[in-house]
Amino acid sequence: MNVRIFSTIVTSVLLSTLALACSPIWENRLNRTAQAQEENSELIYGEIVDASSEYIMIPVQVAGNKGLLSQDSSSEYRTKGATPVNMIFHSLKTGQSHILLNKKAVISQWEFLELKTEKDKPARKVLFLRLIENDINGDGKFDWNDASVGYLADISGKNLQRITPPNAQLSSWKYDKNRDLIFLRVLKDSDNNKKFNSQDEVNFIKVNPNNPAQGKEIINDKIQQEIKSLVK
């Protein structure tokens, strides 16, 4: 085989390889591979947290803050640049593990609360969470423009119970240990425009953490009207 023929064969093979690499089929394969790698590398497990003498908790996060920045006391357990989306609870007694949430959500805040107990009784703790679980404004992401909802759960990561209205913005809260009550400030989408702004109504809610349920509003409709009439 002379040099010219050999050169022609090599050139044809290189052109064929290049054409295959540029073909839609090959491009789709590359895209699927890159997507699979990205999906596999997105998941991040945080550091182990002692929930109680029996349970440990592991935060589950995804890479990228997706426009959401944590403002909570649990930020020390977060991986920098990651968004908490779930929690894994593991019982040291039974060896069983389970996840906290069975739905897609962003955990914008979480904290263990040590509740008031009677004298000589061991301290009891619950898990307080603030979740963004619905894309209220329809922009395709969960962020601070959507509703943030308050929840309580057992220290085992079970019996998750919503304590604020579903389409309200939980703006602040505090646990009053002396009264054994949680007080929450919420902004309600009172004009139903899928936005939270100064035009919406503010209310305050109280919740008994020993019997969690959606809290009762402190400012009822009658009080609202009386205040508005005096201001006007």
Side-chain angles (χ1 to χ4, degrees):
M1 183 181 297
N2 60 38
V3 176
R4 179 173 296 180
I5 295 175
F6 179 77
S7 177
T8 301
I9 293 173
V10 171
T11 302
S12 299
V13 171
L14 289 174
L15 289 174
S16 299
T17 303
L18 183 61
L20 179 60
C22 295
S23 69
I25 296 176
W26 188 254
E27 184 177 353
N28 289 338
R29 287 179 182 174
L30 289 174
N31 288 340
R32 286 198 299 272
T33 302
Q35 183 179 359
Q37 290 174 345
E38 182 179 352
E39 289 174 354
N40 291 334
S41 63
E42 265 195 342
L43 205 59
I44 299 173
Y45 295 103
E47 297 295 329
I48 290 177
V49 180
D50 287 327
S52 68
S53 58
E54 180 182 347
Y55 288 94
I56 60 171
M57 187 272 287
I58 302 172
V60 181
Q61 308 164 66
V62 291
N65 60 32
K66 303 186 185 301
L68 183 69
L69 299 177
S70 177
Q71 298 176 336
D72 68 304
S73 59
S74 62
S75 59
E76 61 183 297
Y77 300 109
R78 282 190 57 193
T79 302
K80 186 176 181 180
T83 300
V85 295
N86 215 322
M87 295 176 170
I88 298 171
F89 282 81
H90 176 75
S91 170
L92 300 173
K93 183 178 180 180
T94 66
Q96 299 296 313
S97 300
H98 65 274
I99 61 175
L100 173 71
L101 304 176
N102 60 0
K103 57 187 174 183
K104 290 184 178 181
V106 165
I107 303 175
S108 63
Q109 182 179 6
W110 63 268
E111 185 174 337
F112 292 119
L113 302 181
E114 189 171 300
L115 303 183
K116 180 181 179 180
T117 55
E118 295 180 12
K119 190 177 181 180
D120 300 328
K121 285 193 174 182
R124 178 173 174 264
K125 293 198 295 185
V126 296
L127 175 63
F128 172 84
L129 300 132
R130 177 158 43 179
L131 302 183
I132 300 174
E133 55 188 1
N134 289 305
D135 179 19
I136 299 296
N137 57 12
D139 64 357
K141 58 184 179 180
F142 292 173
D143 59 21
W144 291 117
N145 295 315
D146 297 310
S148 59
V149 186
Y151 280 87
L152 286 178
D154 292 346
I155 203 66
S156 63
K158 296 180 180 178
N159 299 316
L160 190 68
Q161 174 65 50
R162 193 182 75 228
I163 58 175
T164 63
N167 291 331
Q169 188 74 267
L170 172 58
S171 56
S172 63
W173 66 280
K174 72 172 184 176
Y175 171 55
D176 187 332
K177 194 168 185 176
N178 292 328
R179 297 182 176 89
D180 199 21
L181 289 171
I182 299 176
F183 295 98
L184 310 104
R185 187 180 192 271
V186 297
L187 185 64
K188 300 165 65 176
D189 182 20
S190 49
D191 53 9
N192 295 313
N193 67 348
K194 310 299 182 184
K195 297 179 181 179
F196 297 97
N197 51 45
S198 59
Q199 304 302 315
D200 293 319
E201 291 182 359
V202 173
N203 213 317
F204 295 85
I205 292 174
K206 62 179 180 179
V207 174
N208 179 357
N210 293 290
N211 186 25
Q214 182 170 324
K216 294 183 178 180
E217 294 183 346
I218 294 175
I219 306 174
N220 58 33
D221 291 340
K222 180 181 178 183
I223 295 296
Q224 287 271 18
Q225 293 304 317
E226 289 179 358
I227 292 293
K228 288 179 180 179
S229 64
L230 291 173
V231 172
K232 290 180 180 179

